[in-house]
Amino acid sequence: MSDATLHSKTQNPDDFAVQVADQIESFLVAVTEVARGDEPDSAVPFLLLEVSQLLLAGGRLGAHADFLPEERYEPDPGPEPDVDDLRERLARMLDPVDVYSEVFDPYEPRKAPVPARISDDLADVIADLRHGMAHYRAGRFTEALWWWQFSYFSNWGSTASATLRALQSLVAHVRLNQPLDELDGLDTDQAMGDETLEFEAGKVMVEEIATPLGVRPVV
């Protein structure tokens, strides 16, 4: 489908819903498999790929004309699946590079970076996507598209984008043989009042993260 058709009023929204749902389902399955920890050596590159592909679906939703729900109030999609176990598995796998610094809104001047966690981000994105998937599986395609589009703008789009930036930066540091400043002692519960986020003393050397996380320096 070309970019020109993204705003088409004649395109069947059910066809678009199937395409987006396929991309989202692929992401949900892939990240769940990564969190199982069966192949930790490929975790970071695989997450980089999956988040990149998810954001393609998000871009399509963002470029599309607004979807309007068929009902005034959102139908109850049922109980929300718990994501705490997935969050904890990812946190253990990604330690010690789970925490990174992020600026929430690049268009707000002089905003200080704040600490975030890749594991938290992925779990939050999955929670949003599963909510829409519940509508989709119940046959409420327009409701699913509305929810995915709305939550893309309000939450999971920016969260996934920040996660992608962190993953890409991590892979780049390793592949380019650039040691990472250690985030030792930094946590997401801390309030960061400085204009810039100062990393704690120490270094996480390339050798400490390359093999366990499945990335290698460029030869």
Side-chain angles (χ1 to χ4, degrees):
M1 182 177 64
S2 68
D3 292 341
T5 65
L6 290 178
H7 299 277
S8 174
K9 297 295 185 181
T10 61
Q11 182 186 6
N12 188 337
D14 288 356
D15 293 341
F16 187 63
V18 171
Q19 295 167 16
V20 172
D22 285 346
Q23 291 179 281
I24 288 175
E25 180 67 18
S26 176
F27 176 81
L28 294 174
V29 171
V31 176
T32 301
E33 286 300 310
V34 171
R36 289 168 58 91
D38 294 337
E39 299 183 25
D41 290 349
S42 60
V44 167
F46 199 58
L47 289 173
L48 177 65
L49 174 63
E50 292 301 325
V51 175
S52 298
Q53 292 178 334
L54 174 68
L55 284 171
L56 173 60
R60 297 179 69 195
L61 287 164
H64 203 290
D66 288 349
F67 290 101
L68 299 177
E70 296 175 351
E71 301 180 28
R72 181 176 180 182
Y73 299 103
E74 181 185 10
D76 184 3
E80 299 287 347
D82 183 36
V83 295
D84 286 343
D85 180 65
L86 180 141
R87 187 194 314 270
E88 293 169 3
R89 287 174 179 268
L90 288 170
R92 287 194 298 270
M93 181 183 303
L94 294 171
D95 184 66
V97 294
D98 193 23
V99 178
Y100 69 98
S101 61
E102 169 62 6
V103 177
F104 283 135
D105 190 340
Y107 283 99
E108 291 189 23
R110 295 178 297 280
K111 284 292 185 180
V114 297
R117 288 183 179 273
I118 296 173
S119 56
D120 287 345
D121 290 350
L122 290 173
D124 290 347
V125 168
I126 283 179
D128 274 348
L129 298 179
R130 283 178 174 174
H131 185 95
M133 189 60 73
H135 288 306
Y136 176 81
R137 288 171 177 162
R140 297 187 292 268
F141 288 5
T142 302
E143 192 75 33
L145 288 171
W146 170 82
W147 171 259
W148 283 328
Q149 186 183 61
F150 167 76
S151 57
Y152 169 76
F153 287 126
S154 63
N155 184 47
W156 74 260
S158 59
T159 301
S161 297
T163 306
L164 179 65
R165 181 73 181 96
L167 291 167
Q168 188 275 338
S169 179
L170 174 59
V171 172
H173 273 288
V174 174
R175 297 294 298 276
L176 298 177
N177 293 299
Q178 296 174 346
L180 292 170
D181 290 331
E182 187 174 20
L183 298 181
D184 184 26
L186 176 66
D187 201 348
T188 52
D189 292 332
Q190 290 179 273
M192 308 302 293
D194 298 332
E195 289 188 0
T196 59
L197 183 64
E198 295 183 359
F199 293 157
E200 298 293 329
K203 295 288 186 179
V204 174
M205 300 306 294
V206 170
E207 292 79 4
E208 296 180 20
I209 61 176
T211 299
L213 297 181
V215 283
R216 303 289 187 274
V218 175
V219 178

